[in-house]
Amino acid sequence: MHIGLIGLGKMGFNMRARLRQAGIEVTGFDRNPEVTDVETIDALVAELQAPRIIWVMVPSGAITDSVIAELGEKLSPGDLVIDGGNSRFTEDQKHAAELAEKSIKFLDCGVSGGIWGLENGYGLMAGGSDEDIETAMPIFDALRPEGDRADSFVHVGGVGAGHYAKMVHNGIEYGLMQSYAEGYELLAAKDIVKDLPGTFRAWQKGTVVRSWLLDLMVKALDEDPGLAAIDDYVEDSGEGRWTVEEAIASAVPVPAITAALYARFASREDNSPAMRMVSALRNQFGGHATKPAK
């Protein structure tokens, strides 16, 4: 199998490497000449034999729109486009309709694993037709962790369902990070607590709150015990807002996720140890930039 991959940022770069390790030939395109395999999208399309599969891994919004539109002009009927970025599910439905007018197929795939996916594999949530999912399954199997497929891959439903599931996943992630971070601040505020990093380390095995996020929290404290180098300003990349908006539209109460989103807004005004930890966690799992401490 030979596929194209557009977007060789941190995740796209690692995904290309993991696919190649699994024996899938990948031609990548990126505007960064240091990482791209070809100079143009035209050259990428020319490298692939029809029916082509092109995975798009670029920022959501206008950039994804422009890439999908360009592919619509350059691909052939029967080719398949997979959007693996963090697009909103409503955009998937729009992109699928645009490509369908030219008989080009479309899948959406939520991808979780951050900068650790090359080593550990990625959790994948896909949306689209059964036929197109089957066509792309060798790619999904190469990207996911070893073991049972059902433990790391799901065909959620029709177009948009994959990104909808990833949106909810990220909303849950907001709440989990906020809970860990608030616990960190509470422990740090108590004078009788003498070993703060050790407390979290002792939770890594056997306790009901153990998780990969907790492991990354311990790693962050090992690297910077007081988080002195990190500002408490925390970005939100969109999925938390979309989750809350969908909850309102569906009349589903999501108080923990909503509070975690609002805490990020508040972090842009206050000095908060908890929000420094959230910023540190986002950097640990996703390589998201942090602001240096003031």
Side-chain angles (χ1 to χ4, degrees):
M1 175 177 278
H2 184 188
I3 73 166
L5 196 159
I6 298 177
L8 297 170
K10 292 173 182 175
M11 280 189 69
F13 186 88
N14 286 344
M15 289 170 69
R16 178 178 64 177
R18 187 170 177 88
L19 288 165
R20 286 174 172 172
Q21 288 174 4
I24 293 178
E25 188 176 356
V26 183
T27 299
F29 168 74
D30 194 274
R31 292 180 179 177
N32 180 355
E34 296 181 2
V35 299
T36 195
D37 298 317
V38 291
E39 295 183 357
T40 65
I41 290 181
D42 283 315
L44 174 67
V45 171
E47 284 274 329
L48 304 175
Q49 184 176 354
R52 304 171 185 86
I53 300 177
I54 295 184
W55 188 296
V56 178
M57 203 69 189
V58 299
S60 62
I63 296 177
T64 296
D65 288 344
S66 66
V67 170
I68 297 294
E70 185 172 357
L71 289 173
E73 296 299 322
K74 296 177 177 178
L75 293 180
S76 304
D79 290 347
L80 172 63
V81 175
I82 305 171
D83 180 4
N86 278 333
S87 295
R88 191 166 186 168
F89 75 100
T90 50
E91 295 301 295
D92 295 323
Q93 295 161 358
K94 180 185 75 173
H95 294 148
E98 292 172 354
L99 293 175
E101 292 178 358
K102 301 177 181 181
S103 299
I104 299 169
K105 304 173 182 180
F106 179 86
L107 294 175
D108 61 284
C109 186
V111 181
S112 181
I115 58 177
W116 298 89
L118 173 57
E119 178 181 352
N120 299 332
Y122 301 90
L124 305 170
M125 297 143 268
S129 73
D130 292 343
E131 178 184 1
D132 294 340
I133 292 289
E134 188 62 30
T135 298
M137 193 58 73
I139 303 170
F140 298 139
D141 281 341
L143 289 172
R144 66 178 181 81
E146 295 181 2
D148 291 342
R149 182 184 289 164
D151 291 341
S152 55
F153 171 83
V154 59
H155 179 193
V156 186
V159 167
H163 278 147
Y164 195 94
K166 179 58 163 49
M167 175 194 73
V168 175
H169 165 284
N170 283 22
I172 292 170
E173 183 182 283
Y174 274 48
L176 290 172
M177 284 195 291
Q178 188 64 30
S179 294
Y180 281 128
E182 290 174 7
Y184 164 81
E185 182 167 0
L186 185 59
L187 285 165
K190 194 63 175 177
D191 57 359
I192 61 174
V193 175
K194 303 302 183 185
D195 188 355
L196 180 55
T199 300
F200 288 105
R201 183 172 288 105
W203 293 354
Q204 288 181 277
K205 295 181 180 179
T207 76
V208 296
V209 298
R210 64 188 184 275
S211 72
W212 185 42
L213 277 175
L214 179 63
D215 296 342
L216 293 176
M217 191 174 185
V218 170
K219 185 174 183 292
L221 289 171
D222 284 343
E223 294 173 357
D224 184 3
L227 303 181
I230 299 174
D231 189 48
D232 64 344
Y233 185 104
V234 182
E235 292 285 1
D236 65 284
S237 54
E239 295 92 337
R241 298 186 191 211
W242 302 340
T243 304
V244 172
E245 290 171 5
E246 281 298 306
I248 293 170
S250 300
V252 174
V254 290
I257 294 172
T258 303
L261 175 65
Y262 286 175
R264 294 196 181 191
F265 297 160
S267 78
R268 298 161 198 180
E269 302 174 2
D270 302 321
N271 181 27
S272 165
M275 299 317 295
R276 281 201 297 275
M277 177 54 75
V278 172
S279 184
L281 280 170
R282 293 181 80 245
N283 177 257
Q284 286 290 331
F285 70 75
H288 300 290
T290 61
K291 288 182 177 288
K294 300 184 182 73

